[in-house]
């Protein structure tokens, strides 16, 4: 085919109108060759495009673009053939790419390009790899390809083990399902059912719970594959970013595919994103596949669910339950609401709208019923009444008195002080609370200096091993030892510093950074291995090693202040504010059978956020407005908010998970699950010992003031410390 080919985008609408216009006249000698490529099924929306286009374009009855010439057709069937038979004798495309692995339900693997033998001679190669040459010369530009088209185009070693497995894959599929036609019916039924249920979900104010991106009304498998693409909305119609929905789904053990699905064309078309916007988003730092899900409130991508032969009705229902249970409130709902009804959103899936697949496949009434029965009882913590307690005047008052009790209410200018200090000597393990503690180059001395790694040297986190929080380290600066305790285990001692002669330096990875570490020895390794019931080691960051902080949080560091880090993920210090904790505590408040309020203990909540510095702020989340702070004689830059993940669901005393904490925080924080701010100390002079102490005054400078008076502000601070 022409090497210097040009390409033109063709939209589905172009094709519909091309059909009416018919072909462009072409004289019989016209030698121009064109290739029309289209997907049999969109991997974005599941839209199935007419297979009749193949014959119409090839025969010249229809021209995708108004140019004379002869048309060939490439039918991208990678998505289509996963759940539908394709008869190539009836639909004679010239080229058909397919992905075998998608048919079998594997995450990756073998695919194929089927080439019609009649067009094979037209194909040219402009490179070659091993196995494709009949003969070639090393010292001369001489290459003669092999005869058959497969031999010419299968460069390199073919994946013969995968190819052998194909027969067994197809045999198993046939045995399990009875064939592709059954798969087509089964998956379509599931998709139609889920689509009908999803689109019938509404908030009490009538607003839909999801916006579905589609080109068909799911009326038949001829026009629609088993794919549903959507965004979740709040009750004001605002999109809830896909990253947020994804994080929520993981709490329900559902893994979602989100973003643009390698399909920017469909993404732009359905989300209404112009070419200019795509370029602008890139400049704003959004790249394909990241979790920047909203820019100026507009979605950059969406959420996709698709069904395969192995999907069941239970899977579809589990997904629907998740959507129902996590429908989010708009921030305005948190204001003291009037009567209970107004504050309690519910899924108004009207009974007559419920899809009846077959009689026995009707979703049980109480699963997606009306009113308060929206949450299935079987799901822990998803009772609608407790999910969204309306805040009455009484609870407001209670909150005020609680704030008073905690000494948090001092008016705007009242003194803020450090109320608690914590370090986490072993990354992801329990906190060590102190009242006064030396400050080192990386933050609080010995904070995240150690970590537990598995037999491959990979750091354990609470996501895989929640019991890490049951390991309690204590540091004795006088004796220069760390004592590690855990229930049912004899305490064990580890020296604070390595024996520089014996320590074997090795490299570990923390958040893509390489750090030099050394192993703390077999004794503590077997202690940990016994506790976790699998081989682990304790390693420590080498004291001679410098890990420089990146300007990750979007801030340039002031000159001469290359911040160094311990084994933390992001920054030297994390600060949280008890007023924010109090607000979250109120939102998590539940009532027992007698209507008595039950509060999460403050200590319990504080410990989930694994902060170093706790202050009694005057207002919830005011710390996010701070640009700099000083604590006693030390000055800190506020780098930005800490984005939270499901780790905050883990009770740090027991290692148990509770999804509510994450869900509540997400609701109340307008879907940005931020809590606390990162700090970095400014030009630290360690020539004399520095300490952080409980009771030290915390003086914030707001961002605006830092930005407006940057130089004077810094200067002023220097005066304070010198
Ligand atoms: C998955 C997919 C591809 C890519 O196929 P691979 O085998 O993963 O390279 C191309 N087109 C569509 C429509 C797909 O769904």
């Amino acid at each position: 085919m022409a090497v210097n080919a040009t390409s033109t985008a063709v939209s589905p609408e172009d094709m519909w109108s091309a059909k009416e216009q018919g072909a462009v006249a072409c004289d019989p000698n016209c030698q121009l060759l064109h290739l029309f490529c289209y997907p049999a099924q969109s991997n974005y929306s599941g839209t199935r495009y007419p297979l009749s286009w193949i014959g119409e374009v090839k025969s010249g009855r229809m021209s995708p673009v108004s140019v004379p010439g002869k048309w060939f057709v490439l039918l991208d069937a990678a998505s289509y053939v996963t759940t539908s038979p394709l008869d190539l004798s009836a639909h004679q495309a010239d080229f058909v790419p397919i992905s075998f692995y998608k048919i079998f339900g594997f995450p990756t693997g073998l695919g194929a390009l089927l080439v019609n033998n009649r067009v094979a001679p037209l194909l040219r190669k402009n490179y070659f790899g091993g196995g494709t040459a009949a003969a070639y010369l090393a010292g001369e530009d001489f290459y003669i390809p092999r005869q058959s088209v497969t031999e010419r185009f299968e460069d390199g070693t073919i994946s013969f083990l995968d190819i052998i497995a194909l027969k067994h894959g197809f045999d198993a599929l046939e045995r399990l399902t009875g064939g592709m036609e059954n798969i087509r019916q089964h998956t379509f039924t599931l998709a139609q059912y889920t689509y009908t249920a999803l689109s019938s979900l509404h908030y009490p104010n009538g607003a839909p719970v999801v916006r579905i991106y589609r080109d068909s009304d799911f009326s038949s498998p001829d026009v629609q594959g088993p794919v549903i693409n959507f965004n979740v909305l709040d009750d004001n119609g605002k999109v809830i970013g896909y990253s947020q929905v994804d994080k929520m789904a993981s709490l329900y053990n559902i893994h979602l595919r989100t973003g643009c699905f390698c399909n920017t064309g469909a993404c732009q078309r359905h989300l209404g994103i112009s070419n200019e916007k795509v370029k602008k988003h890139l400049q704003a730092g959004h790249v394909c596949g990241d979790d920047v899900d909203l820019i100026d409130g507009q979605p950059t991508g969406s959420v996709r669910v698709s069904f395969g032969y192995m999907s069941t009705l239970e899977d579809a229902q589990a997904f629907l339950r998740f959507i129902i249970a996590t429908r989010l409130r708009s921030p305005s709902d948190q204001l003291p609401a009037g009567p209970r009804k107004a504050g309690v959103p519910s899924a108004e899936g009207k009974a007559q709208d419920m899809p009846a697949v077959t009689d026995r496949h009707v979703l049980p009434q109480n699963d997606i019923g009306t009113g308060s029965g929206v949450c299935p009882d079987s799901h822990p913590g998803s009772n609608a009444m407790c999910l969204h307690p309306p805040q009455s005047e009484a609870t407001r008052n209670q909150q005020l008195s609680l704030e008073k009790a905690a000494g948090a209410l001092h008016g705007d200018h009242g003194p803020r002080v450090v109320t608690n200090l914590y370090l986490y000597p072993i990354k992801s393990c329990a906190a060590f609370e102190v009242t006064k503690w030396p400050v080192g180059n990386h933050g609080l001395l010995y904070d995240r200096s150690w970590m537990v790694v598995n037999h491959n040297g990979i750091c354990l986190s609470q996501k895989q091993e929640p019991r890490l929080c049951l390991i309690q380290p204590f540091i004795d600066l006088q004796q220069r030892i760390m004592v590690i305790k855990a229930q049912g285990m004899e305490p064990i001692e580890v020296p604070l510093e390595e024996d520089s002669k014996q320590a074997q330096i090795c490299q570990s990875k923390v958040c893509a950074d390489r750090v030099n570490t050394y192993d703390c020895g077999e004794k503590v390794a077997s202690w940990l291995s016994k506790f976790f019931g699998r081989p682990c080691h304790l390693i420590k960051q080498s004291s001679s090693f410098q890990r420089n902080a990146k300007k990750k949080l979007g801030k340039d560091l002031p000159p001469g202040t290359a911040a160094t880090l311990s084994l933390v993920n992001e920054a030297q210090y994390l600060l949280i504010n008890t007023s924010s904790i109090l607000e979250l505590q109120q939102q998590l408040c539940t009532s027992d059978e007698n209507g008595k309020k039950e509060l999460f203990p403050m200590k319990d909540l504080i410990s989930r956020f694994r902060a170093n510095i706790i202050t009694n702020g005057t207002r919830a989340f005011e710390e996010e407005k701070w640009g700099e702070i000083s604590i006693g004689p030390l000055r800190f830059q506020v780098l930005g908010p800490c984005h939270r993940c499901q780790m905050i669901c883990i009770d740090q005393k027991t290692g148990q998970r509770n999804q509510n904490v994450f869900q509540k925080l997400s609701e109340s924080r307008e879907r940005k699950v931020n809590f606390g701010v990162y700090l970095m100390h400014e030009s630290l002079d360690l020539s004399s010992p520095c300490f952080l102490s409980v009771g030290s005054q915390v003086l914030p400078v707001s961002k605006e003031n830092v930005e407006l008076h940057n130089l004077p502000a810094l200067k002023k601070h220097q005066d304070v410390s010198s």
Side-chain angles (χ1 to χ4, degrees), residues 17-140:
S17 59
K19 207 161 167 160
E20 276 143 37
Q21 283 157 15
V24 174
C26 177
D27 75 74
N29 301 323
C30 177
Q31 287 300 304
L32 274 174
L33 305 185
H34 307 296
L35 180 65
F36 171 55
C37 307
Y38 79 103
Q41 171 177 306
S42 162
N43 68 346
Y44 179 94
S45 58
T47 305
R48 287 180 173 167
Y49 295 103
L51 295 173
S52 58
W53 284 354
I54 301 167
E56 281 162 328
V57 169
K58 279 175 62 82
S59 67
R61 285 193 304 261
M62 179 170 150
S63 293
V65 183
S66 300
V67 286
K70 181 168 170 46
W71 284 91
F72 295 86
V73 173
L74 179 149
L75 181 75
D76 178 352
S79 184
Y80 183 82
V81 297
T82 58
T83 52
S84 188
L86 174 62
D87 182 353
L88 289 175
S89 65
H91 308 290
Q92 301 195 4
D94 301 290
F95 306 96
V96 184
I98 56 175
S99 309
F100 293 117
Y101 71 91
K102 291 187 189 176
I103 299 177
F104 304 128
F106 274 54
T108 180
L110 196 67
L113 172 65
L114 305 177
V115 179
N116 189 315
N117 280 319
R118 282 193 291 271
V119 298
L122 293 169
L123 295 176
R124 302 270 176 276
K125 277 188 92 169
N126 48 15
Y127 69 96
F128 79 96
T132 65
Y136 68 99
L137 288 173
E140 208 177 282

Side-chain angles (χ1 to χ4, degrees), residues 592-610:
D592 65 12
E593 314 88 83
N594 311 321
K596 238 185 92 196
K597 294 260 181 272
E598 280 181 40
L599 288 175
F600 259 78
M602 278 298 274
K603 270 261 178 197
D604 167 328
L605 277 181
I606 288 175
S607 68
R608 287 166 191 260
F609 293 99
R610 302 181 62 79

Side-chain angles (χ1 to χ4, degrees), residues 81 98-106 108-114 154 158-175:
V81 297
I98 56 175
S99 309
F100 293 117
Y101 71 91
K102 291 187 189 176
I103 299 177
F104 304 128
F106 274 54
T108 180
L110 196 67
L113 172 65
L114 305 177
E154 288 175 351
I158 58 168
S159 192
F160 48 81
L161 293 179
D162 288 334
I163 295 171
I164 292 169
L166 283 181
K167 175 186 153 26
H168 302 286
F170 280 113
D171 286 351
L173 201 63
E174 186 73 26
R175 241 186 1 258

